[in-house]
Amino acid sequence: MSGSTGRPLGRRTFVLGSAAAAGTAALTGPLAATASAAGFGWSDDGSDYVVDTGAGLVFKVSKTNGDLTSLVYKGTQYQGYGGKNSHVESGLGTSTVTIAQSGSTILVSVAYGTLKHYYAARSGENNVYLWTNKADSSVTATRYIVRVKAGLFLNDEPDSYTYAPTVIESADVFEKSDGQTRAKHYSRLRVTDYDYIGWTTGGVGLWIVRSNHEKASGGPFYRSLLRHQSADGGGLYEILYYGENQTEPERYGLQGPYVIAFTDGGAPSSSLYPGTLTTPWADSLGISGYVAAGGRGRVAGVGISGRDTAYPYTVGLANSAAQYWGPARSSDGYFSIAGVLPGTYTLTVFKGELAVYTGSVSVSAGSTTTLNTLAIPSSNDPSNASAIWRINNWDGTPGGFKNADLMTYMHPSDVRAASWTGNVVVGSGTETSAFPCYLWKDVNSGIVVYFRLTAAQAAAAHTLRIGVTTAYANGRPQVVVNDTWTSAVPSPPTQPSTRSLTVGSYRGNNHTFTYSVPASAWLTDTSAYNTLKIYVASGSGTTSYLSAGTAIDAIDLLA
């Protein structure tokens, strides 16, 4: 089995908003096939509704619980993973399942309590369009998983292969005999990094094209399960809400469409990508919570000033009901975010993944809210502060630190990771690459940073800053200077309460700790190295890589 596309993942260069929209009229039309492509139509085999797209794809939906029980493309059965069906969450249980056809569209509707789920097929298309409307917390439904038979695709993304002999953490992280680690969590990708995930043999491609995630949580930089493989088969996910290292409450409402797409080996059509997909054919299907394109608006910004052009900038919109985002143009910061539900949103500008500007914007249906140039105050970007020395730059990520490029797809104990210990010398040219991206109380607490000060610098008090991107078990830095001055233990900022550093995620809530170090703490010998020891303080956590820990963004000593 394979865990990736085997080719570059599709990315949008502009808006990641949705063109999915709403309608309230019920689906009407004949309930027998009126084929507009040869074979298009549906039938009832007693236990399942059988839908033929007329283009090589035939799928079945259980009349009992709404599971996808069969997925046959050009005569080959792809459904089947350890005897399990494809479904919402791990299956909904007894549901009310109905089917209707109107011209070139077939809709299967599944009702399970307050949750509504939908499958749609279009004549001549090898796609299954899906929507899921979770109205409240009465039903646990956070994902759709397509379960694929073993042996149909090569394993070209091995880090999420979950069949390994030794369990090393929480029954879902494994270690091979060679010391490499495996887990379904290790996706590498943030939501903004991909439009689709899946596998290809070169002759057949099976993909999930994600929705615009307007009712998901965590923003553009969130990571969650995307795909995994085991000896039994593979899974492709559309995660509607994932609690691991989650920074936001769950949002409710209609999520979709997301698409199960078959191809003849290539990537799915870009017309299916979030921000590109239009579904006027779905406007009158009666999908619960559906809002048509005419009921949505757009936000456009003339530009953003005060940017550091070495970094990408992203503009996000979020309120309790929905979230959206889009890139700012590198030349001038222009941005456009379309398909936005009406409402008032917090607008955030991110340098990399660091919030450097916040404001408010209101969106109305059928109109564009145009914003004048947004000016990022110099003080909002911590990189603008004059520093005696700085380790890494401030961008809201641990990128550049030791092991940072590995931690989204392996466990920190993995044999491929460099040692988490070792001292750091400012001015060596390797201070950033030598400093570990993560610190744990039970692994590398007390790491030492060596640095020199001039006589004038040593004669004054200075502010030390340590930026973090997330923490586990309330881990936070306490510092000791020259073994004579010890900071107070800072209060823990709000961070997710679940695992993070061991499941491929550093994205929590960015926070900056500041320490006022008195002049008396510095060495007066300018040829001698001052020492800064950084410890992880917390009374929580367990041992090793599940002891209290934190991910580092940047460290500097201000002038």
Side-chain angles (χ1 to χ4, degrees), residues 297-311:
R298 184 171 75 100
V299 175
V302 170
I304 302 171
S305 64
R307 293 173 298 119
D308 181 342
T309 56
Y311 292 87

Side-chain angles (χ1 to χ4, degrees), residues 383-401:
S383 297
N384 292 331
S386 178
I388 297 171
W389 54 260
R390 177 170 290 138
I391 304 176
N392 216 357
N393 203 1
W394 297 81
D395 71 347
T397 83
F401 282 131

Side-chain angles (χ1 to χ4, degrees), residues 30 32 39 51 73 75 112 217 227 280 319 328 364 420 423 452 462 468 502 556 559:
V51 179
Y73 180 63
Y112 179 77
S217 298
R227 52 186 174 255
N319 61 23
S364 300
W420 289 101
N423 299 326
R452 288 190 176 103
H462 297 285
V468 304
T502 60
D556 57 20

Side-chain angles (χ1 to χ4, degrees), residues 122-161:
R122 297 277 290 162
S123 175
E125 296 184 11
N126 291 317
N127 304 319
V128 183
Y129 298 86
L130 302 94
W131 291 263
T132 304
N133 188 343
K134 183 178 179 181
D136 52 45
S137 62
S138 64
V139 178
T140 299
T142 61
R143 67 180 182 181
Y144 192 90
I145 179 169
V146 178
R147 301 186 187 272
V148 183
K149 289 177 64 176
L152 296 177
F153 298 99
L154 295 174
N155 177 23
D156 62 356
E157 185 61 56
D159 294 295
S160 58
Y161 186 78

Side-chain angles (χ1 to χ4, degrees), residues 171-464:
D172 61 6
V173 182
F174 305 87
E175 185 178 66
K176 296 173 59 186
S177 58
D178 63 3
Q180 291 192 12
T181 54
R182 302 287 188 261
K184 63 185 179 182
H185 304 285
Y186 298 149
S187 70
R188 299 176 182 248
L189 301 173
R190 309 168 302 173
V191 178
T192 192
D193 293 330
Y194 71 96
D195 289 317
Y196 57 88
I197 48 95
W199 301 300
T200 179
T201 66
V204 174
L206 172 56
W207 319 94
I208 282 188
V209 183
R210 71 167 176 85
S211 68
N212 72 331
H213 280 224
E214 70 180 359
K215 295 294 185 178
S217 298
F221 312 123
Y222 190 70
R223 286 179 168 86
S224 66
L225 282 66
L226 294 181
R227 52 186 174 255
H228 81 278
Q229 315 79 31
S230 75
D232 296 324
L236 299 178
Y237 295 87
E238 167 74 341
I239 299 292
L240 309 179
Y241 176 80
Y242 192 50
E244 204 85 80
N245 206 37
Q246 180 58 254
T247 58
E248 294 183 299
E250 185 172 8
R251 292 180 172 94
Y252 299 117
L254 184 68
Q255 185 72 54
Y258 48 104
V259 187
I260 303 170
F262 281 90
T263 70
D264 290 332
S269 170
S270 60
S271 65
L272 300 176
Y273 296 174
T276 301
L277 177 62
T278 58
T279 55
W281 50 267
D283 289 357
S284 61
L285 297 186
I287 294 173
S288 174
Y290 191 89
V291 179
R296 296 168 178 266
R298 184 171 75 100
V299 175
V302 170
I304 302 171
S305 64
R307 293 173 298 119
D308 181 342
T309 56
Y311 292 87
Y313 283 71
T314 301
V315 179
L317 307 176
N319 61 23
S320 61
Q323 60 170 9
Y324 308 90
W325 59 85
R329 193 161 61 194
S330 60
S331 60
D332 56 8
Y334 168 83
F335 61 92
S336 176
I337 304 173
V340 180
L341 292 170
T344 299
Y345 294 85
T346 296
L347 182 152
T348 304
V349 177
F350 298 92
K351 169 196 173 187
E353 297 184 16
L354 183 67
V356 292
Y357 176 94
T358 59
S360 180
V361 62
S362 293
V363 179
S364 300
S367 65
T368 296
T369 301
T370 301
L371 303 175
N372 293 325
T373 297
L374 304 178
I376 300 173
S378 177
S379 59
N380 283 16
D381 184 346
S383 297
N384 292 331
S386 178
I388 297 171
W389 54 260
R390 177 170 290 138
I391 304 176
N392 216 357
N393 203 1
W394 297 81
D395 71 347
T397 83
F401 282 131
K402 182 166 64 174
N403 292 328
D405 59 334
L406 307 178
M407 286 301 101
T408 61
Y409 62 96
M410 65 181 66
H411 192 270
S413 66
D414 196 289
V415 67
R416 292 169 288 178
S419 172
W420 289 101
T421 58
N423 299 326
V424 177
V425 180
V426 173
S428 64
T430 62
E431 54 265 47
T432 296
S433 60
F435 196 99
C437 62
Y438 298 162
L439 299 176
W440 291 271
K441 187 175 183 179
D442 203 32
V443 175
N444 56 355
S445 183
I447 190 169
V448 183
V449 177
Y450 293 91
F451 60 97
R452 288 190 176 103
L453 296 176
T454 66
Q457 291 166 344
H462 297 285
T463 296
L464 174 75

